[in-house]
Amino acid sequence: MYDLIIIGGGPAGYTAAFEAARSGLNTALIEKGTLGGTCLHSGCIPTKTLLHTAELYREVKNGAPVGLEADGLRVNMNTLQAYKNEVIAKLTDGIRSQLSRAKVTLIEGTARVAGSGRVEVQKADGSSEIFEAKNILIACGSEPSRIPVEGLDLPGVMNSTAMLDCGTIPGRLVIIGGGVIGMEFAALYSSLGTQVTVIEALPRILSNLDKDFAQNLKLILKKQGVEIHTSASLKKVEQRDGALVCHYEEKDATREAAGDLVLVAVGRRPATKDLFSEEAGIRTERGRILVNETYETNLPGVYAAGDAIGGIQLAHVAEAEAINAVAAICGKPAPIRTDTVPSCVYTSPEIASVGITADEAKQAGQKVKVHRYVMAANGKTVLTRQERSFLKVITDEETGKIVGAQMMCARATDMIGELADCINEGRTLDSLVKTIRPHPTFNESLWELAKNERA
Ligand code: NAD
């Protein structure tokens, strides 16, 4: 009998396992595929690996003004794919050895919750076994959503998981969905020289983030040759003259966009199908597992965390929820606040946001001040030839406390954590001024903003 059985070895699952082992729980982790989950195998890590090469390629290709001249520069997709797989393998091994050091039992197979304290595992050899535990944590993650549009099963129409393994650079790519995945792939493939068209149903791209990001990114990508169609709804995809033709409606007109490949990136849904028996009676809502504030489901002793419970589908949120769930299992208070969540888009420049935006504050009737800093005078931004870079810090008008921040600049994804900390600690711009930042850095722009805007 284990103290805890964890289903799923992604960021929520392996983080919960490390935390449980740290807390002295006899823990087992069940994984049906490879350790690491979406983040490591078909999300964050492979995307950022490909983006790293694409960015280097674009910089060198456009490097003449900074004294870089390269003849015959080209991207070898086979080598890049092999490198990406090597990165994934290295990180997967790291998780495996950490689990082994933590004395977590790794069970390979497909798990199904049979009831409180009981998990049935189907093994690769066809056998099945029941494992028992005082507590169960479901961390089964998510999978790409599908939309009911004709032609999406044609060869060459892919989701992001398949696209990441694509060994060729398409001449033309149509991306359905202008969310985070859509924009990162648009940046990636346009940097590699692909003619990219984006079809987004809502009036703007990155609709969950501040509208300044959408406006600026649209201009930057347009300059790179990306065509973005918003308020555009996909009607069907057909194969014609060796191309995949996407029919969509925009401003009451029916239009077409042709691609050699089509990427469908219209969101992700919890991967909870076949995860529990009917009798187990775990409550769900459109596939997401319903949990209370301690991550416990309606079944006593059965917990869930990460993409499986819906909400914000990010690896760092999954990790935080997993740690809080293990704390609840151990009868301790949650150590991590999950109401302040940084979110990042790995375009160039990077985009990062945390807390409230000016528009959200307005809608909520909260009086705030918006402090802006355009990075045109920031040395590192100028010398590295960054485009349209800016910071915005939102403070509460009454208390002066920082309640939000939006950044579009190089290293924004590394800088946003500090602002998340400021929000959680109730800091003001005056308190940001107190600490010296090094020069020249992208980060010193935050100090400049605070110096200019303090009370
Ligand atoms: P998303 O929800 O961010 O974007 C999906 C987009 O598709 C939306 O803008 C939506 O309006 C659009 N859409 C939906 N149906 C459509 C249709 N029929 N035609 C045209 N457009 C349509 O989802 P995603 O980009 O697929 O990403 C999935 C999840 O993965 C998100 O939660 C995202 O935050 C996460 N993710 C995070 C990162 C990161 O942190 N950098 C990177 C990639 C993905």
Side-chain angles (χ1 to χ4, degrees):
M1 161 87 83
Y2 291 100
D3 293 321
L4 175 64
I5 288 181
I6 298 161
I7 300 175
Y14 64 71
T15 304
F18 300 149
E19 187 68 7
R22 219 175 64 91
S23 310
L25 301 185
N26 178 19
T27 305
L29 186 148
I30 309 171
E31 170 57 58
K32 65 177 175 183
T34 319
L35 288 169
T38 300
C39 163
L40 183 45
H41 297 280
S42 49
C44 319
I45 299 299
T47 323
K48 273 79 234 177
T49 308
L50 300 184
L51 270 166
H52 175 66
T53 294
E55 270 306 303
L56 283 176
Y57 175 69
R58 197 170 58 88
E59 273 203 45
V60 175
K61 212 170 104 201
N62 301 317
V66 298
L68 270 181
E69 290 170 16
D71 290 329
L73 185 72
R74 65 187 185 90
V75 177
N76 184 326
M77 207 57 184
N78 290 334
T79 312
L80 176 54
Q81 280 291 337
Y83 176 63
K84 180 208 76 183
N85 294 337
E86 199 183 300
V87 169
I88 293 172
K90 201 180 273 182
L91 292 170
T92 307
D93 284 350
I95 298 170
R96 191 182 300 279
S97 45
Q98 263 181 286
L99 286 175
S100 152
R101 274 201 302 278
K103 303 207 166 20
V104 172
T105 306
L106 183 59
I107 301 167
E108 291 176 0
T110 303
R112 194 159 178 264
V113 179
S116 276
R118 284 166 63 82
V119 179
E120 186 186 353
V121 179
Q122 283 287 332
K123 308 264 179 77
D125 62 8
S127 66
S128 79
E129 194 176 342
I130 294 275
F131 292 89
E132 291 186 328
K134 291 182 195 145
N135 298 284
I136 296 168
L137 175 71
I138 304 172
C140 58
S142 61
E143 59 195 10
S145 296
R146 290 153 164 270
I147 44 171
V149 171
E150 187 188 330
L152 293 189
D153 47 3
L154 286 169
V157 180
M158 303 182 182
N159 60 30
S160 55
T161 305
M163 195 77 207
L164 285 167
D165 288 333
C166 184
T168 56
I169 301 171
R172 296 167 301 171
L173 172 68
V174 181
I175 300 177
I176 313 300
V180 188
I181 294 184
M183 287 305 103
E184 290 187 350
F185 275 85
L188 166 61
Y189 278 96
S190 64
S191 294
L192 294 177
T194 299
Q195 166 62 57
V196 177
T197 307
V198 178
I199 298 173
E200 165 58 50
L202 293 176
R204 66 175 157 96
I205 53 168
L206 298 179
S207 58
N208 291 332
L209 295 169
D210 190 283
K211 63 177 183 305
D212 282 352
F213 293 143
Q215 274 163 9
N216 284 285
L217 186 63
K218 197 170 174 178
L219 290 171
I220 289 168
L221 289 176
K222 200 172 164 194
K223 223 167 107 187
Q224 272 175 231
V226 177
E227 248 187 65
I228 297 178
H229 300 276
T230 49
S231 301
S233 87
L234 181 71
K235 294 296 161 200
K236 72 167 176 177
V237 181
E238 65 170 345
Q239 214 150 23
R240 203 172 68 207
D241 305 327
L244 289 159
V245 180
C246 300
H247 298 256
Y248 62 96
E249 255 175 37
E250 188 184 16
K251 298 189 188 88
D252 293 334
T254 305
R255 296 165 199 264
E256 291 181 2
D260 304 308
L261 295 176
V262 174
L263 167 67
V264 182
V266 293
R268 297 182 61 87
R269 59 177 185 199
T272 49
K273 196 169 167 279
D274 301 328
L275 197 71
F276 13 81
S277 58
E278 281 266 312
E279 316 79 77
I282 294 178
R283 255 188 250 136
T284 60
E285 185 188 81
R286 274 182 282 135
R288 90 186 169 95
I289 300 171
L290 298 175
V291 292
N292 66 15
E293 63 291 346
T294 65
Y295 301 94
E296 195 169 16
T297 67
N298 59 305
L299 226 60
V302 179
Y303 295 75
D307 285 6
I309 62 169
I312 305 174
Q313 296 170 315
L314 295 172
H316 43 278
V317 174
E319 290 182 23
E321 290 170 352
I323 289 173
N324 287 349
V326 173
I329 289 166
C330 297
K332 292 181 186 157
I336 303 180
R337 275 182 60 171
T338 51
D339 56 341
T340 311
V341 175
S343 53
C344 302
V345 191
Y346 291 77
T347 45
S348 180
E350 292 181 341
I351 287 171
S353 177
V354 66
I356 202 164
T357 66
D359 281 349
E360 285 164 353
K362 202 172 162 191
Q363 273 164 22
Q366 183 179 358
K367 290 213 165 99
V368 294
K369 277 191 184 159
V370 181
H371 310 270
R372 290 172 200 275
Y373 183 78
V374 176
M375 288 171 71
N378 174 264
K380 274 303 271 296
T381 300
V382 173
L383 74 91
T384 57
R385 305 173 77 231
Q386 302 293 325
E387 292 192 81
R388 311 186 79 87
S389 300
F390 65 88
L391 307 180
K392 279 201 280 186
V393 175
I394 317 291
T395 56
D396 183 86
E397 203 173 277
E398 211 171 291
T399 64
K401 287 180 180 173
I402 297 170
V403 289
Q406 292 83 42
M407 304 177 170
M408 184 166 185
C409 61
R411 306 276 186 269
T413 62
D414 293 313
M415 280 155 57
I416 199 71
E418 180 178 354
L419 270 305
D421 200 41
C422 286
I423 295 173
N424 277 355
E425 297 303 320
R427 293 179 68 186
T428 59
L429 289 177
D430 289 43
S431 89
L432 266 185
V433 171
K434 279 188 198 156
T435 308
I436 298 175
R437 320 279 150 149
H439 170 79
T441 56
F442 297 108
N443 188 239
E444 69 182 315
S445 51
L446 192 56
W447 197 32
E448 291 302 319
L449 179 146
K451 282 190 284 185
N452 294 344
E453 296 284 318
R454 78 199 126 135

